[in-house]
Amino acid sequence: MNLGTSVLKVTRVGILKGRLLAAVSTLLIGSSVFAATIKIGEVGSMTGSEATFGISTHEGIELAIKEQNAKGGIKGQKIELISLDDQGKPEEAAIATTKLITQDKVVAILGEVASSRSLAMAPIAQKYKVPMISPSSTNPKVTAVGDHIFRVCFIDPFQGAVMAKFASENLKAKKVAIFRDVKSDYSVGLSDFFKEAFLKAGGEVVVDQSYSSGEVDFNSQLTSIRAKKPDVIFLPGYYTEVGLIAKQARKLGIKAAILGGDGWDSEKLYEIGGKSLNNSYFSNHYSQDDQTPAVQSFIATYKKAYNKIPDGLGALGYDAARVLFAAMETTKTGSTAEVQGALAKTKDFQGVTGKITMDEMRNATKSAVVLEVKDGKFLYKTTINP
Ligand code: PHE
């Protein structure tokens, strides 16, 4: 990886000015007690076919840092974010993680969104004992890597059950087709969890097809799916392929409802799939229609900063950063060991995406929302509690 070009942006929010202080901060990195700033790393897909994941998350994190630094930082020390772009590639995410830990000496890492990339990062963070918080990776294996790996979102056994329940109860579906991305740990896991729950509810899986992210022609798999006449297609992919698949499915005359998970959450989804996405539903971490004051005030602040409504990733990035700051504030020295211990004790933290409590596996138990895609809008349908 050419780190020179892959560094999206080093956001030095509130960094202390002056040569001397800069030199001091360089000399004493790793010792957060004396360093001029507290360094936090971020790894995300700022470019590539999942770029909105990285960008939205980054914006949420940046907002949280600005607010925290405006309050004086953490115990008087300003937070500095070092943000690296992995271009959506697990191997780049791993390289970025090593760099953040060994060269930049960050106290903690925020990221990644995609489970496959978090899975590439987690063993490194665990080995160096640097806490890593994924805002949004939902595959159970991510936090199972070790006691330094946390997340602030729900996990896929729950998300799969949510969509199985929605398919059987709300849509009265009996026969489903599954169409999974075999290159994505997220997609494979979520497909399996959905399948298990849907079979338990008395439904039938009439066909289970696969694709690999990066492909653009899905006609042969969709033709096999069409032949089985499913009531619903479960498509737990990321937005770029989902948009293309929806388009090609409708062109083939498939009218069945298309269902998916949080990986659909992008402003690009509709740009790619257009009206083919009508009659589609996906589970997500938050809805912008939620009238809770905390949610609406976050939306207002975000809108002011970025001139757009935040998606779920912006909200989760914001929550992940704030959970980290809250933990750091309770420590004496801010060492990685203390931060790890404090994160594990996170309890009833009021986030934009709900109340966050770390369970013994460092996962958060939260409710999910189901959204309908309609003419480019994500309409709130229902909330499903754990
Ligand atoms: N949950 C997805 C994964 O684990 C990532 C994701 C979360 C994508 C939220 C979009 C929105 O890979």
Side-chain angles (χ1 to χ4, degrees), residues 53 113-116 136-139 156 159 186 238 262-265 284-285 313 316:
F53 289 173
V113 169
S115 291
S116 293
S136 45
S137 286
T138 45
N139 187 284
D156 287 333
Q159 186 167 208
Y186 158 74
Y238 294 147
D262 52 356
W264 287 28
D265 188 14
N284 206 1
H285 303 266
L313 293 153
L316 286 165

